[in-house]
Amino acid sequence: MEYAVHHVRRPGLTRDLPYGPQDLLWVSNAATLVLGASDAVLIDTYVTVEQNQQLIDWIRSFDRRLTHVYVTHGHGDHFFGLSQIAEAFPGVRAVATEATAAAAEVQAGTDMVGSFWERLFPGQIPARLTTPQPLADDHLELDGQRLEIVETGFTDTPGSTVVWVPELRLIAAGDVAYNDTHPYQSESTAATRREWAATLDRLRDLDPAAVVAGHGNPDLPDDPGILAETAAYLREFDALDARTATAEELYAAMLDRYPRRLNPGSLWGAAKRAKQPS
């Protein structure tokens, strides 16, 4: 077995920054392909029609039968390509946990697509959106090897998961870990960030050789050290949140600590959320 990763670059979701490094105002999405001798499993897709066509062309280059697409969590930028994938690879099954499947139904709903995704990516969202089906088991199989689904609770959204491939010592982390990129925290609270950081500590106990972040710098390796780095970032954010009074102050303090991470829009969205009146 082996794995390969495909990246696409897109604008971030938060675009009203007070200031920030202009060359970093973007984010990369990653899709992971786990390859057996004749079959393959894809982990996550992309947002736009064009991005997902690039993904399809890339998958075809490996000359494998795609059996499953596994969706790590319910954000649209990780499953909006399912209908295109199904058309390109007849017989493929799109699956997720029950929590992710339920969240995907909300994200694919007319209200969410029209008010959020189409507003940010006008004319680029697939016309037909499909959602993953709940997976009855806690794993997938590929060439007799297990791809284990690890439920991670509330990370950047409720009901997140990662995929652990013991044969490769690989974690396909979805949005549980970030690589040189500001994490999305607009759904989180101090309590859920503590839960998230503790989850990252537990994932380190698997002793992975590689960790693929759902959002990361495509020029950097899939370093397992990003588990500890993401946990440290979350704890630093909470510490600085306690010492600042406004979203602007928190944003500035975190930028001082992490001046060259990609997608500072995520940091600005997180700072605004943290300073909302309770």
Side-chain angles (χ1 to χ4, degrees):
M1 292 178 67
E2 58 184 323
Y3 82 98
V5 183
H6 187 269
H7 299 270
V8 294
R9 175 171 161 164
R10 62 166 175 79
L13 302 181
T14 302
R15 303 177 186 176
D16 63 340
L17 282 69
Y19 65 92
Q22 294 297 309
D23 61 322
L24 302 178
L25 300 183
W26 55 276
V27 63
S28 174
N29 272 62
T32 303
L33 192 66
V34 183
L35 300 149
S38 57
D39 295 342
V41 171
L42 177 67
I43 302 166
D44 288 340
T45 73
Y46 298 142
V47 180
T48 71
V49 172
E50 181 181 355
Q51 291 166 357
N52 286 302
Q53 186 57 55
Q54 292 176 25
L55 179 60
I56 287 165
D57 293 342
W58 175 77
I59 295 168
R60 283 175 170 155
S61 72
F62 291 94
D63 194 26
R64 302 295 204 281
R65 181 176 72 101
L66 189 65
T67 62
H68 293 84
V69 184
Y70 180 78
V71 179
T72 57
H73 63 289
H75 286 156
D77 59 327
H78 292 260
F79 76 87
F80 277 1
L82 291 181
S83 59
Q84 287 174 258
I85 295 287
E87 184 176 348
F89 301 98
V92 67
R93 291 185 60 212
V95 296
T97 62
E98 287 190 11
T100 290
E105 290 287 346
V106 175
Q107 287 268 310
T110 303
D111 290 346
M112 185 68 178
V113 172
S115 65
F116 185 77
W117 291 107
E118 278 288 353
R119 177 175 57 82
L120 293 172
F121 300 94
Q124 301 171 67
I125 304 300
R128 185 172 67 89
L129 294 175
T130 59
T131 57
Q133 297 301 303
L135 180 65
D137 296 318
D138 62 357
H139 68 282
L140 297 169
E141 287 196 6
L142 177 63
D143 280 2
Q145 299 292 331
R146 289 169 63 99
L147 280 62
E148 298 180 1
I149 311 306
V150 180
E151 298 198 42
T152 53
F154 200 135
T155 55
D156 81 334
T157 196
S160 294
T161 66
V162 304
V163 180
W164 167 239
V165 187
E167 176 73 10
L168 301 175
R169 292 175 52 217
L170 167 70
I171 295 176
D175 288 2
V176 174
Y178 285 70
N179 190 349
D180 196 36
T181 300
H182 292 283
Y184 172 75
Q185 300 179 75
S186 292
E187 297 177 34
S188 68
T189 65
T192 63
R193 283 189 291 273
R194 286 193 295 272
E195 178 184 338
W196 185 354
T199 294
L200 288 159
D201 293 342
R202 289 193 296 273
L203 289 174
R204 292 171 64 191
D205 293 339
L206 292 171
D207 190 27
V211 177
V212 179
H215 303 291
N217 186 334
D219 294 329
L220 295 180
D222 303 324
D223 189 337
I226 66 173
L227 297 173
E229 290 170 7
T230 303
Y233 179 106
L234 296 169
R235 289 169 173 140
E236 182 99 45
F237 183 91
D238 281 341
L240 290 173
D241 182 24
R243 299 202 295 268
T244 55
T246 68
E248 291 80 5
E249 289 176 2
L250 177 53
Y251 177 71
M254 283 296 288
L255 270 189
D256 283 346
R257 299 292 198 280
Y258 300 94
R260 296 300 300 168
R261 278 199 164 213
L262 298 176
N263 196 23
S266 270
L267 172 58
W268 176 233
K272 290 189 293 181
R273 161 75 184 209
K275 298 304 184 182
Q276 283 179 348
S278 57

